[in-house]
Amino acid sequence: MKIRWLPFLLLCLVLAGCSTASDTGGRLILAAEGAEAYGSVLSPFLWGYTLQEAEDSLYAELDRGSAVACFDVQAIPAMDRGLGRYWYPHVSATVVLAVDRTQTDAVITGWDSLRENHIQVGMGSSSVMRNMLVMGALSYGLNRKEPVKRDALAFLESLVGNGGFEPEESDAPVLLCLDYEAVEWNRSGGNYEIIVPSEGTLSFRLGLLSDAPLTLEPGLDEALLSAGLPLANGQRPYGFPDDYRTARTLEEEDYDRFLELTGDSSRDLRRQVFHTRLYTTADLREHILSAVLVAVAILLWKGTVSHRMLRADVRRAVAVMSWLMVGWLLLRLFKYQLAEESTLSRMCWYGYYLFQLALPAVLLYLTEILDKPEKERQPARTRWPAFICYLLSVLLVMTNDLHQLVFRFEANGNWPKDYSYGPGYWLIIAASFILLALAVVKLFRMGRRSSYRGGKLFPLLFCGSLLAYVLAYIYRVPLAWESDITVNICILSVLFFESALRTGLVPVNIQYQRLFASAPINLTLLDESGHTVLSSGGVRPVSRSLWMRLLADIQRPLLRDRDTQLHAVSICGGMAVWQEDLSQLNHLKREIQEVQSRLEAANALLREEGEVKKRMLAAETGRELCEQLDRDMERRITVLTGLIKSLPETKDPKRLIAHITLCLCHIKRRCNLFFLARQGMALPGDELGIYLDELAELACYTGVKMLVRCGETGALDIRRAALCYDFTFETISWTLEAAASPLMGYLEAENDCLVFRFLPDADPNRWRFSEELLAEVSALGGQITCKDLDDAVGLCMTLPLGGETNG
Amino acid sequence: MTNLLTGYLEDRSTAQYFCFSISCEVCGEFWYSSSVPFSKAGQAAEHREKRELYDAVYQREKNRARLAAGREAVERFSQCPICRRLVCDSCFLICDEMDMCRECAGRLKESGEPVAP
Ligand SMILES: [Zn+2]
Ligand SMILES: [Zn+2]
């Protein structure tokens, strides 16, 4: 079981122990003051009922089925409100003045004569009922038509100023009492003159109120008369005044008026007659109300403190303090409910110290934990002395009945009022003062760091007034003694603590809230159970599922949504969570992605365009090539066409066909060389040799005997090779035309030059080579010359090898 | 509904635990399932056979955790009967005639209380 339920359980046990009602048979209860004589006469006539002490209020007893002896002013209003159905009035009771003739011989006839004589007046008791009866009789006596409470109070106040008015006093020369009481005193040797006030008074009726019909044995009236009690019908035994004419009996309609007049009479007596308890609670109702109000206020205050405090241990200490005060108040309330002054109520009284003495101890503990950071474990030895001190004090108080070291009183006397303090009391008070002083000193020493110096005045003030008040109470200074010590100590303690909070002696986190609210840090602090403690402005609360996931794996950040990432660190008593805004980042990422995809698209477009262009270019190049080839071949084809056309008229078709074949071969090889040139390839020297040999072989068919020898020339570029080839073909053509067979050719490389020589069998000086050939040769920096040898003329083409001279 | 939700689950598991999330299609906030620890987490697999065994166990437990997460999500997500989207309890309103998501309710000018504030 959790420890926090323990006090509750104890309280339940205590309460259950109180209600030990013995419900066997009927009970006769005396709820009217001075009704003992009546009760003892009545008891034998009421068969089946036993005379018992009241355990509860009149109304509660009625509810239990008891027969209650009470006054008509109690019974009739109760019956009006549905409590008790049967009312049997038996005895009449009139408020009278009993003048003790052994003490005074003043002439007294009624209320006013009391004012004139300076005589002390008493009432014999200050119970609520007695107050009510007297106040009612006074009000009705002083103003028979329109009785008002004010008159009665003013009268009593004037008595106080006159000769003195002591409600408790039973030995005063004049007593305000009931007539049968005074007769009884006279019977037992007193010398009282019984005066029915001439201005008027009230006669009440004493009788039995019950929920069930009662059967009374016959002969009660006689028995009552012989016991000296006047009957309700006006019959009175010997010893009563003769004249009761001024005494009025209340009628049915008067009771509400009576209650109005006499309600709160104890309070009014205290405040308006004796001028006491002006600033504190004066009667039970006020006691209870004030205690409940203060308890509620303390709990509310505790709520605000826990709201302001971040530290869980400080919060706990404050909560303990608050509950101590509330417990104290509740215990007092409980004690008020006890009808009689029994051992139980004395235990309750001792029990106050359980709470009262704990307060300074808890305060000291609080100041000690305030001095250290939360997680740091304090050595237990700093706390034990205070705790042991408290325990011993409580033990001492609770066992007071055994040793009377703390409070001294007569066990059978009026101990709630007549007690004195023993050495034990001074010991425990000193101990708790030392604890309190230690706590306060510690608090102020810590508070030195606080900059707010002037504010320390208030805590000091409240602390001082607390001490002064307790001392005044102990020494029974009336103002303090008459006041409600529990409520006052609670209020002063709360004020002290609150002022300590306000002035920064106890650090609170009021500012954190504001700091958090205004700081743009997106930070949330959560407690151990996932509730938000502090949160900066505009941050969405962390949901339970997020919190659980963070708790499971605090290292790993998590996405709250696509644009928000949560990071957490565990802190003392919970965790701190801050939010990272990813929206910028995501925006950037998206933009980059967009740009990338746009680039890719553009790239693809460009690639396609390139392809198209390439295809177009290729087509263009092909066309140009063809055109160039066409141009290149045009002349040769024209020659060929001419040859072919002349074929039908020729005399030697065999030779002509051979010539046409030679031309065709030349065109074919030239095309070949043309395309090789476009590919930028070189032609091996022996390949050119093969070409030239092919030409020589075909020339044989045309009747030209020729021989071409190729020297070591290496690989030739296509342009030079083509020139050599063309040069050979044209030379053959001229040889054919000039019948200069046989033809000798020799190709070799000489001093960086390619030299191609032909030696025809006729003079080649008149041979004209084609324009294209000559242009091409000179473009390469070469020349074609005729050389006169000894017995023949040779043709020579020289072409420089290597670098081209594009002139 | 559980099947539908299970299909929407995004895997957030690590080598140590299994966790799944679903995002609300209205507010975009992720809901995370209770994380279930992997039973063999932190145990080193010394050789290949053992590692394969662990991998199999991991997959099996992950599937189980996914089903559990789906069941858990049923408590927190609803499908809007109008737009058919998956919405979290704070975005799903209980309206007079028909419950629907916040955005649909706004469009239809319906008013209602969210399932969970
Ligand atoms: Zn949502
Ligand atoms: Zn919708």
Side-chain angles (χ1 to χ4, degrees), chain B residues 80-85 100-101 103-104 107:
Chain B
C80 171
I82 297 171
C83 61
R84 316 299 297 167
R85 290 186 299 178
M100 64 186 88
C101 78
E103 285 181 356
C104 286
R107 244 190 335 266

Side-chain angles (χ1 to χ4, degrees), chain A residues 287-300:
Chain A
H287 287 330
I288 291 176
L289 274 178
S290 69
V292 169
L293 272 177
V294 171
V296 168
I298 288 171
L299 288 182
L300 284 177

Side-chain angles (χ1 to χ4, degrees), chain A residues 540 552-553 559-562, chain B residues 10 17 28-30 32 35:
Chain A
R540 270 185 295 163
D553 186 2
L559 280 177
R560 139 168 269 168
D561 51 49
R562 303 274 171 213
Chain B
E10 287 179 46
Y17 61 87
E29 178 141 341
F30 281 106
Y32 289 85
S35 42

Side-chain angles (χ1 to χ4, degrees), chain A residues 7 65 136 159 293 367 387 515 779 786:
Chain A
L159 284 192
L293 272 177
T367 54
F387 187 64
L515 173 76
C786 285

